[in-house]
Amino acid sequence: MNRLQRMIRAHRILAVVAGVVVLSVVVVAAALFQPWRIFTSSSVYEALPAAPAPASAQAPASASAQAPAIPLPATPEAPVVLGSGTFQSQEHETTGTARLVRLADGSHLLRLEDMASSDGPDVKVWLSSLPAGGDWFKYRSGRYVDLGAVKATHGNHNYLLPPGTDITGLTSVVLWCDRFSVAFGSAPLI
């Protein structure tokens, strides 16, 4: 018998306890780090919400009831891009474009286009008051608006801002891993 086997047989209880501890550490580490996400990805392709369909207005009828009504063209307001920028990688390779858009109804939405990043546990989309790039630890210290979990690792995604959100001073978009406090990537909103 080799020395390890003799030691295990001599200290069976200690060997069982050590085995349980090692197994517990492996399970907890797997739950926290979710290493299988390195090999997973997902895609979502959402269209930019379109302007409302034009409603044709009718000109007031003339005194003569037989004159046909003349439709007046209605022009809906198109979405307006308030800021946009290209993603730069930080903790994980991240590419694509972020656009902050004001819709015809006055609401705001963040659109991620041609986005590609890594999967990870608890990844959120943030609008931040801090500049994109650089030290990714900094984002917690600035003002940010959490728009929720990232919808997918690839594609075109829309994130509606909560009504009444003050967008003044929000200068970047961050893909933020809340579990480990790291930025996967960020984009300036210029």
Side-chain angles (χ1 to χ4, degrees):
M1 271 192 228
N2 70 26
R3 188 173 184 190
L4 180 61
Q5 287 176 333
R6 281 189 303 233
M7 193 163 77
I8 289 173
R9 285 186 182 179
H11 303 287
R12 287 178 194 244
I13 294 175
L14 183 59
V16 169
V17 170
V20 168
V21 168
V22 167
L23 182 61
S24 298
V25 167
V26 168
V27 168
V28 168
L32 283 176
F33 290 97
Q34 300 177 358
W36 55 88
R37 288 188 174 244
I38 293 170
F39 306 106
T40 62
S41 67
S42 56
S43 298
V44 168
Y45 292 93
E46 297 177 316
L48 180 64
S56 59
Q58 298 289 332
S62 63
S64 165
Q66 288 149 357
I70 302 169
L72 297 175
T75 55
E77 184 181 328
V80 176
V81 176
L82 302 175
S84 70
T86 302
F87 272 100
Q88 51 190 284
S89 300
Q90 288 187 265
E91 178 64 14
H92 292 267
E93 173 125 10
T94 303
T95 60
T97 304
R99 298 184 197 292
L100 183 58
V101 178
R102 183 178 60 235
L103 300 176
D105 65 1
S107 64
H108 294 93
L109 102 99
L110 176 69
R111 178 158 173 84
L112 306 183
E113 295 177 337
D114 299 321
M115 204 241 340
S117 189
S118 299
D119 199 359
D122 206 18
V123 179
K124 310 276 181 108
V125 178
W126 284 4
L127 285 173
S128 174
S129 64
L130 297 173
D135 179 21
W136 41 259
F137 292 111
K138 69 183 176 187
Y139 293 109
R140 277 242 191 249
S141 63
R143 182 175 80 107
Y144 63 89
V145 176
D146 185 340
L147 300 178
V150 70
K151 294 179 180 180
T153 59
H154 294 77
N156 301 326
H157 316 172
N158 299 321
Y159 299 88
L160 201 56
L161 275 64
T165 300
D166 180 12
I167 61 170
T168 308
L170 297 175
T171 60
S172 65
V173 176
V174 181
L175 294 183
W176 180 258
C177 178
D178 219 15
R179 181 164 301 160
F180 296 107
S181 294
V182 297
F184 278 30
S186 60
L189 291 174
I190 302 170

